[in-house]
Structure formats: structure tokens, C-alpha cells
């Protein structure tokens, strides 16, 4: 059985979440299905300033709360140094390192690389929404098993817009997806997925979210009350219905991160 080491970069800053559970479950699932020994280590990036070295094969950097805008928090410099080292390593080595960036991490790295503008949204995006592929997204191997549009969990106060096409071209990056179409408002649609390189991939949505686990989470009285108070009962009922639909969250969860992990084998 082939063995690979996975570093999970936890950016949740000790805030309770479902993201880490979902990431760990996906790693266990793909390990069993592919007969691949995936040993993993979790690094508490923001809570304990923990950052791995380059002795891992795969890196998955999580979502998280708070602002992705520049700060003087002590974890930022070591985190971005790791990102730079991964890109540098892949430019010079035949033994590639793979990196998947989720939501908060995606925003941080997009800002760090200068591929567009990170800004605060006029209102929180929270729900299960259609994600639309660009022309390049239509042919990207990770998206080929998903319809257009496909559905994903979106939970963010910030966004990546105003792409810097010259910088994107210099990096040979690809913009793969945009957020839902909103003809009733005159706002630019946010970029929802980027292939930074063959080995580095990121999404502004949450591809790790699983319908069954998220449904259990949302059915808890405390969580239901929180969603209804903040977003309304109609939004809550809409999300529960989407979580029950296997062609929505379940499909996205079964395709993107598993597909990414398989490409590393």
C-alpha cells in the first residue's frame, strides 16, 4: 500500500466548526477506497502558530472565521512563507507538493499572490448556492464530473473580485468558477475557484461540506435558532432541503477533494 503524508492547516482559530470534521472524514474515505495510506497531522496555524515544513506530500488549508485582509497577527508571516516555499519547490523539483485551499485560505493566498481584490461583501453570503463554471472550468479535470451549475455551501463575509489578469497570466493560473448569477443587482460576481498551478487548487466555497453531517448539525436546536435569527426561517428550510438532495452538496463533496487527492497518487 502506497503511503503519503497529509498536512492539514487548521485556520479556524479554535472556533467550533464542521469543516475540520469533514476534511478528516474525506481523507479517511479516500484512503479506504484507493487502498492508500494517508497519514495526517493537524497544524493549529492561528491558535498556536503551528506551520509544517516541506516534509509532507499534500497540504489542505481550511476555511476559518474573521478577515482575510492584512493583519499583524504572528501566524501570517510563517503561513505565507510556507505558501511561497511550496510554489518554489514545485518550480524546481520533479517530486511535487500538492495544496488545496478552502475559503479563508483561498482568500488569503489570492491576496498574497495579488491575483485580484479581496474586500468585504455588502452582506454575508450564507447558504447553498449554484456555482457556475467559466470556459476554463468546463475543461478542468476536477470539475468535469460536476454539472454546470453545481451546488456548494457558501459562507463568507469577504470576496475575491476584480481579477488582475496580467498577474493571473504571469502565474499561468486559471479562473474556473464564478458565484451565482444575480441579474437584479449591479455587482461584480466573485471568483469562486482558481487553479493556481497544476498542483495548487483553491475554492472560495466549501467543497468539504457533507450533506448528512451538515444536516445533523443544522438540526440541532441551537444551530437552527442561530440560522433563523440571522437569516430567516425561509433560508433555513431552503438549506435543509438542499442538504437532503444528493445531487447538490453530496455530489460536490464526492467529487472535488477526492478528485484532488486522487491526482496526487
Amino acid at each position: 500500500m502506497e503511503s503519503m503524508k497529509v498536512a492539514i492547516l487548521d485556520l479556524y482559530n479554535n472556533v467550533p466548526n464542521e469543516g475540520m470534521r469533514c476534511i478528516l472524514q474525506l481523507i479517511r474515505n479516500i484512503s479506504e477506497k484507493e487502498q492508500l495510506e494517508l497519514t495526517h497531522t493537524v497544524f493549529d496555524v492561528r491558535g498556536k502558530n503551528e506551520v509544517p515544513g516541506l516534509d509532507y506530500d499534500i497540504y489542505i488549508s481550511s476555511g476559518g472565521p474573521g478577515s482575510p485582509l492584512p493583519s499583524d497577527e504572528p501566524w501570517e508571516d510563517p503561513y505565507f512563507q510556507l505558501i511561497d516555499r511550496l510554489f518554489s519547490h514545485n518550480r524546481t523539483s520533479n517530486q511535487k507538493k500538492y495544496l488545496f485551499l478552502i475559503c479563508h485560505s483561498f482568500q488569503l493566498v489570492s491576496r498574497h499572490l495579488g491575483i485580484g481584490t479581496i474586500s468585504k461583501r455588502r452582506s454575508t453570503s450564507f447558504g447553498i448556492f449554484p456555482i457556475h463554471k467559466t470556459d476554463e472550468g468546463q475543461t478542468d479535470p476536477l470539475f468535469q464530473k460536476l454539472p454546470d451549475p453545481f451546488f456548494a455551501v457558501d459562507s463568507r463575509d469577504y470576496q475575491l473580485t476584480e481579477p488582475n489578469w496580467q498577474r493571473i497570466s504571469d502565474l499561468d493560473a486559471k479562473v474556473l468558477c464564478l458565484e451565482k448569477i444575480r441579474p437584479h443587482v449591479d455587482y461584480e460576481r466573485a471568483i469562486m475557484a482558481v487553479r493556481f498551478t497544476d498542483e495548487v487548487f483553491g475554492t472560495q466555497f466549501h467543497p468539504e461540506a457533507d450533506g448528512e453531517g451538515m444536516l445533523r448539525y443544522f438540526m440541532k436546536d441551537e444551530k437552527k435558532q442561530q440560522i433563523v435569527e440571522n437569516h430567516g426561517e425561509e433560508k433555513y428550510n431552503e438549506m435543509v432541503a438542499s442538504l437532503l438532495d444528493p445531487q447538490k452538496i453530496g455530489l460536490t463533496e464526492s467529487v472535488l477533494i477526492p478528485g484532488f487527492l486522487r491526482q496526487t497518487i
Side-chain angles (χ1 to χ4, degrees):
M1 180 182 290
E2 187 177 356
S3 177
M4 301 186 79
K5 294 172 63 180
V6 183
I8 302 172
L9 309 180
D10 178 358
L11 271 73
Y12 278 102
N13 203 23
N14 296 318
V15 174
N17 66 90
E18 286 290 289
M20 291 299 295
R21 176 191 63 78
C22 292
I23 291 169
L24 293 169
Q25 185 61 52
L26 280 167
I27 290 172
R28 287 191 289 267
N29 290 345
I30 198 68
S31 181
E32 292 174 5
K33 289 179 181 177
E34 301 296 333
Q35 293 296 294
L36 178 67
E37 185 180 352
L38 290 173
T39 60
H40 69 268
T41 305
V42 176
F43 294 85
D44 186 352
V45 176
R46 295 170 69 181
K48 298 180 180 177
N49 201 22
E50 295 176 344
V51 176
L54 291 184
D55 49 336
Y56 290 83
D57 304 294
I58 304 165
Y59 298 75
I60 299 177
S61 193
S62 79
S67 168
L69 299 177
S71 77
D72 57 1
E73 294 183 19
W75 60 269
E76 276 207 12
D77 282 348
Y79 178 79
F80 289 132
Q81 288 170 15
L82 170 64
I83 299 301
D84 290 340
R85 291 178 69 198
L86 290 171
F87 275 88
S88 178
H89 171 90
N90 285 340
R91 284 193 293 268
T92 58
S93 175
N94 291 326
Q95 191 69 34
K96 305 300 185 183
K97 306 287 184 180
Y98 294 85
L99 170 64
F100 198 112
L101 302 156
I102 299 171
C103 196
H104 192 78
S105 298
F106 170 83
Q107 294 168 346
L108 287 167
V109 173
S110 295
R111 168 173 67 82
H112 180 64
L113 295 176
I115 69 165
T117 299
I118 299 293
S119 62
K120 191 169 177 59
R121 290 175 52 89
R122 290 177 64 89
S123 61
T124 299
S125 179
F126 179 78
I128 297 169
F129 298 116
I131 310 292
H132 297 263
K133 302 179 192 179
T134 64
D135 288 345
E136 289 180 317
Q138 297 284 354
T139 58
D140 188 89
L142 287 189
F143 284 117
Q144 287 180 349
K145 293 184 179 180
L146 290 176
D148 187 21
F150 61 93
F151 287 81
V153 171
D154 192 18
S155 177
R156 58 194 166 88
D157 292 312
Y158 292 81
Q159 62 183 352
L160 171 64
T161 56
E162 300 176 350
N164 182 340
W165 292 112
Q166 184 59 57
R167 179 62 173 152
I168 290 168
S169 176
D170 291 344
L171 291 168
D172 199 24
K174 305 290 188 297
V175 174
L176 304 179
C177 295
L178 301 176
E179 69 179 330
K180 64 181 181 178
I181 298 171
R182 298 176 295 171
H184 58 289
V185 294
D186 189 25
Y187 299 142
E188 182 179 357
R189 292 163 68 198
I191 296 170
M192 298 302 286
V194 172
R195 182 173 288 282
F196 296 92
T197 68
D198 288 344
E199 302 82 22
V200 181
F201 186 89
T203 67
Q204 197 160 214
F205 56 88
H206 286 271
E208 79 280 17
D210 68 314
E212 183 179 342
M214 294 290 288
L215 184 62
R216 286 198 303 270
Y217 181 58
F218 282 1
M219 295 296 281
K220 293 180 179 179
D221 290 341
E222 180 181 352
K223 187 62 181 177
K224 178 179 179 179
Q225 181 179 349
Q226 179 186 353
I227 295 173
V228 170
E229 287 179 356
N230 291 332
H231 304 282
E233 189 162 1
E234 183 178 354
K235 170 65 71 175
Y236 175 81
N237 292 334
E238 174 189 305
M239 291 189 70
V240 168
S242 293
L243 289 170
L244 290 167
D245 186 342
Q247 293 304 307
K248 290 189 175 179
I249 300 309
L251 180 60
T252 302
E253 181 233 352
S254 71
V255 168
L256 286 184
I257 293 181
F260 172 79
L261 292 173
R262 288 188 183 100
Q263 82 175 27
T264 69
I265 299 173

